[in-house]
Amino acid sequence: MNTVETTLPFRNGDATVKRATSMFVLVESPGLTILWDSKTRLYITLMPQFVNRVRGLCGTFDFIQSNDYESRDGDISDFTFANSYKVRGECSDVGEEQFQPCMINSQNADYAKSKCEFLLSPAFKRCHRIVDPEMYYDMCEYDVCGCSNADDCLCSAIASYAKECSRNEVIIDWRFEDPVKNICAPKCEGSQIYSECSSPCAITCSELSSDQECTKTECIAGCNCPGNTVLDDSGNCVPPSECTCTYMGKVYSATQQIERSCQTCTCNGGQWDCLGEMCEQKTICPGNKVYSEFVSPCPLTCENVDNYQDCGASTFPGCTCPEDTALDMQTDSCVKPDQCPCRHNGKRYEAGAIIDKDCNVW
Ligand SMILES: [Ca+2]
C-alpha cells in the first residue's frame, strides 16, 4: 500500500483490500469494487455516483460508448488513446502495426487459433446463446499471438469469457477440460478446492468477526476452503469453531481461556468471548502505557516511525502507547517519536547521541 509492503486483509478508512480467492484480490470502498487477478485481469465496478467523474483506460464513465477511446487530449484513436495513459515515460509508444499481433508473430498464429477455438467448442455451449463468444475468440487470438507467455494469456482470455458467463449465471468448469487442462488447471494449496463460483465472504478465520455484513453473491473463480470451512493462520481449512485467537501477538487454540483486563475470555470461533467486569486501566497497564478498547496489533514503534502505516488488522482491548507516542520495543515503554533511539551497525544510540555517520533522528 503506497509502496509499503503490508499483509491482507488491509483496512484504511472506508477501503478494504483482501484476498477473495487464491486468484483474486478484492478492493472495496463505498461505490467501488475492484477485482484483480494480480496479473492482467482487472474488473472495476462503479456505482452511479461516479458517472461523469471517472475516465481512463476503461473509458469515460458517462453511458456514451463513442468516447471510450478518448485520449487525455480528447483525440479518439485507439493507439493515441492507449499511449496517452502511459504512466512510465521510458516505455515506448505503441503504433498502429502493433495492433496486428498474429501478423507480426505468425509463428504463434496456429497455436492461438487451435487453443482459442476451445471457446467455440461444446464445452461452452450453454453460454454461447447468452454471451456471444466471437469477440472473446478474437481477443483470445490477439492476446495469445502477442503475449510473451502465450499460455498465461490463453488461460486469462478464456477465463474472461467464463467470467462473463458466470456473471450471467452460466457456470462452466472449463479449467479441467481438454485441450486446456494441462495449461490452465489450477493447483490449490492444502485442502482448498477450485470453484468457478466461490464466495468472497469470510474466507479466513480472521475475517469471521468483521465480515458478518458481507452480502456479496458474485461468483469469483479460484481456490477456497470447501463447504463451511475457513482458512486458519496455518493455511488449513477448519470449521469456524476451530479457529484460533490471538492476544498480544500470541496464538491460542479454540476454547482456550485467558485472563485479560480482569475478565475471563474464551477463544470461540476466532474471537474472544469475555465474561466479568473489566478492571480500571491504571491498575493494569505497565509503565506509561494506557488502556484502550482498540489496540492495534501493529502499533507505531520506533522501528517503523519513519514510514508507519496502520496494517488494518483487527484491534483488541489492552495496553498501548498514548497518542503521539511510539513504542520503544527494547525498553517496552512509550516515547515521543523524536526521542526514539537510533540504530547503527546493530548498536543502539539514545536520542541526541552523536556518531560519525549521520543518525536519522526525526
Ligand atoms: Ca463513455
Side-chain angles (χ1 to χ4, degrees), residues 60 62 64 67-68:
T60 304
D62 57 1
I64 302 165
N67 61 10
D68 285 347

Side-chain angles (χ1 to χ4, degrees), residues 54 58-69:
V54 175
C58 293
T60 304
F61 187 26
D62 57 1
F63 299 112
I64 302 165
Q65 208 169 14
S66 59
N67 61 10
D68 285 347
Y69 284 123

Side-chain angles (χ1 to χ4, degrees), residues 110-321:
D110 286 344
Y111 180 79
K113 191 168 181 322
S114 69
K115 294 296 183 199
C116 293
E117 270 174 358
F118 178 50
L119 286 172
L120 311 174
S121 76
F124 283 99
K125 193 167 173 240
R126 282 191 296 128
C127 189
H128 286 164
R129 59 189 178 86
I130 316 264
V131 184
D132 186 351
E134 279 303 325
M135 181 182 85
Y136 291 88
Y137 174 83
D138 292 345
M139 292 195 296
C140 178
E141 264 198 331
Y142 181 102
D143 283 358
V144 175
C145 283
C147 256
S148 52
N149 185 340
D151 284 350
D152 249 13
C153 293
L154 173 71
C155 301
S156 292
I158 298 168
S160 303
Y161 182 65
K163 164 97 178 144
E164 197 52 26
C165 295
S166 85
R167 217 167 62 81
N168 288 281
E169 291 169 19
V170 183
I171 316 289
I172 293 170
D173 260 320
W174 60 276
R175 285 184 185 265
F176 303 94
E177 300 273 334
D178 276 329
V180 297
K181 67 177 179 195
N182 293 328
I183 305 167
C184 305
K187 290 181 186 64
C188 295
E189 280 176 29
S191 50
Q192 295 185 60
I193 54 167
Y194 180 82
S195 168
E196 282 294 315
C197 191
S198 237
S199 156
C201 296
I203 65 164
T204 65
C205 280
S206 60
E207 286 163 22
L208 283 172
S209 51
S210 58
D211 239 19
Q212 271 154 359
E213 74 286 2
C214 181
T215 52
K216 280 222 169 309
T217 51
E218 186 186 355
C219 285
I220 302 180
C223 306
N224 264 341
C225 285
N228 290 324
T229 59
V230 288
L231 198 64
D232 74 5
D233 292 337
S234 339
N236 301 314
C237 294
V238 298
S241 61
E242 286 174 25
C243 282
T244 57
C245 302
T246 48
Y247 180 61
M248 307 292 268
K250 263 181 78 180
V251 180
Y252 295 85
S253 57
T255 74
Q256 230 179 331
Q257 289 191 328
I258 57 164
E259 297 293 320
R260 184 173 90 183
S261 320
C262 307
Q263 292 185 303
T264 302
C265 301
T266 311
C267 176
N268 179 10
Q271 301 170 66
W272 291 109
D273 279 349
C274 297
L275 287 173
E277 285 281 301
M278 233 185 261
C279 36
E280 293 277 311
Q281 62 175 65
K282 60 177 185 287
T283 60
I284 54 165
C285 287
N288 53 356
K289 289 189 188 175
V290 294
Y291 182 80
S292 163
E293 283 292 306
F294 306 100
V295 179
S296 165
C298 34
L300 179 72
T301 68
C302 284
E303 275 73 22
N304 65 22
V305 74
D306 287 332
N307 53 4
Y308 179 68
Q309 290 257 332
D310 187 351
C311 63
S314 335
T315 57
F316 57 87
C319 295
T320 186
C321 283

Side-chain angles (χ1 to χ4, degrees), residues 15 75 107 110 146:
D75 288 341
Q107 73 281 7
D110 286 344

